[in-house]
Coordinates of all heavy atoms in Angstrom, one line a residue:
A169 N -12.1 -22.2 36.7 CA -13.5 -21.9 36.0 C -14.4 -23.1 36.0 O -15.6 -23.0 36.3 CB -13.2 -21.2 34.6
W170 N -13.7 -24.3 35.5 CA -14.5 -25.3 35.5 C -14.9 -25.9 36.9 O -16.1 -26.3 37.1 CB -13.8 -26.6 34.7 CG -13.8 -26.3 33.2 CD1 -14.7 -25.5 32.6 CD2 -12.9 -26.8 32.3 NE1 -14.3 -25.6 31.2 CE2 -13.3 -26.4 31.1 CE3 -11.8 -27.8 32.5 CZ2 -12.7 -26.8 29.9 CZ3 -11.1 -28.1 31.3 CH2 -11.7 -27.7 29.9
A171 N -14.1 -25.7 37.9 CA -14.3 -26.2 39.3 C -15.5 -25.4 39.9 O -16.3 -26.0 40.7 CB -13.1 -26.1 40.1
R172 N -15.6 -24.1 39.5 CA -16.8 -23.3 40.0 C -18.1 -23.4 39.2 O -18.9 -22.7 39.4 CB -16.3 -21.9 40.3 CG -15.8 -21.1 39.1 CD -15.4 -19.7 39.5 NE -14.9 -19.0 38.3 CZ -13.7 -18.8 38.0 NH1 -12.8 -19.2 38.9 NH2 -13.2 -18.1 37.0
G173 N -17.9 -24.2 37.9 CA -19.1 -24.4 37.3 C -19.3 -23.3 36.2 O -20.5 -23.3 35.7
Q174 N -18.5 -22.6 36.0 CA -18.5 -21.5 35.0 C -18.6 -22.2 33.6 O -17.6 -23.0 33.2 CB -17.3 -20.5 35.0 CG -17.3 -19.4 34.0 CD -16.2 -18.3 34.4 OE1 -15.8 -18.3 35.4 NE2 -15.8 -17.6 33.2
P175 N -19.5 -21.7 32.7 CA -19.5 -22.3 31.3 C -18.5 -21.8 30.5 O -18.3 -20.6 30.3 CB -20.8 -21.7 30.8 CG -21.7 -21.2 32.0 CD -20.6 -20.7 33.0
L176 N -17.7 -22.9 30.2 CA -16.4 -22.5 29.3 C -16.0 -23.8 28.5 O -15.8 -24.8 29.0 CB -15.3 -22.1 30.2 CG -13.9 -21.7 29.6 CD1 -14.2 -20.4 28.8 CD2 -12.8 -21.5 30.7
A177 N -15.8 -23.5 27.3 CA -15.4 -24.5 26.3 C -14.1 -24.1 25.7 O -13.9 -22.9 25.3 CB -16.5 -24.8 25.2
V178 N -13.3 -25.0 25.3 CA -11.9 -24.7 24.8 C -11.9 -25.6 23.4 O -12.3 -26.8 23.4 CB -10.6 -25.2 25.6 CG1 -9.5 -24.9 24.9 CG2 -10.8 -24.6 27.0
H179 N -11.7 -24.8 22.2 CA -11.8 -25.3 20.9 C -10.3 -25.3 20.2 O -9.5 -24.4 20.5 CB -12.7 -24.6 20.1 CG -14.2 -24.3 20.7 ND1 -15.1 -25.2 20.7 CD2 -14.5 -23.3 21.6 CE1 -16.2 -24.9 21.4 NE2 -15.9 -23.7 21.9
G180 N -10.2 -26.2 19.2 CA -9.0 -26.1 18.5 C -9.6 -26.1 16.9 O -10.1 -26.9 16.4
W181 N -9.1 -25.1 16.3 CA -9.4 -24.8 14.9 C -8.2 -24.6 14.0 O -7.1 -24.2 14.7 CB -10.3 -23.5 14.7 CG -11.7 -23.6 15.4 CD1 -12.2 -24.9 15.9 CD2 -12.6 -22.6 15.5 NE1 -13.5 -24.4 16.4 CE2 -13.8 -23.3 16.2 CE3 -12.6 -21.3 15.1 CZ2 -15.0 -22.3 16.5 CZ3 -13.7 -20.6 15.3 CH2 -14.8 -21.0 16.0
I182 N -8.3 -24.7 12.8 CA -7.2 -24.4 11.9 C -7.9 -23.6 10.6 O -9.0 -24.0 10.2 CB -6.2 -25.5 11.5 CG1 -5.0 -25.0 10.9 CG2 -7.1 -26.6 10.6 CD1 -3.9 -26.1 11.0
Y183 N -7.0 -22.7 10.2 CA -7.5 -21.8 9.0 C -6.7 -22.0 7.8 O -5.5 -22.2 7.9 CB -7.2 -20.4 9.6 CG -7.7 -19.4 8.4 CD1 -9.0 -19.1 8.1 CD2 -6.7 -18.5 7.9 CE1 -9.4 -18.0 7.1 CE2 -7.0 -17.4 7.0 CZ -8.3 -17.4 6.6 OH -8.5 -16.4 5.7
G184 N -7.5 -22.1 6.6 CA -6.7 -22.4 5.4 C -6.5 -21.0 4.6 O -7.5 -20.4 4.3
L185 N -5.2 -20.6 4.4 CA -5.0 -19.3 3.7 C -5.5 -19.5 2.3 O -5.8 -18.4 1.7 CB -3.5 -19.1 3.7 CG -2.9 -18.7 5.1 CD1 -1.3 -18.7 4.9 CD2 -3.4 -17.5 5.7
R186 N -5.5 -20.7 1.7 CA -5.8 -20.8 0.3 C -7.4 -20.7 0.0 O -7.7 -20.4 -1.1 CB -5.3 -22.2 -0.3 CG -3.7 -22.1 -0.3 CD -3.1 -23.3 -0.9 NE -1.7 -23.3 -1.0 CZ -1.1 -22.7 -2.0 NH1 -1.6 -22.2 -2.9 NH2 0.3 -22.9 -1.9
D187 N -8.2 -21.0 1.0 CA -9.6 -20.9 0.6 C -10.2 -20.1 1.7 O -11.6 -19.9 1.6 CB -10.2 -22.4 0.8 CG -10.0 -23.2 1.9 OD1 -9.5 -22.5 2.9 OD2 -10.2 -24.4 2.1

Side-chain angles (χ1 to χ4, degrees):
W170 284 341
R172 61 180 175 259
Q174 183 174 333
L176 181 64
V178 184
H179 312 269
W181 298 353
I182 196 155
Y183 175 70
L185 293 173
R186 294 183 179 277
D187 60 14

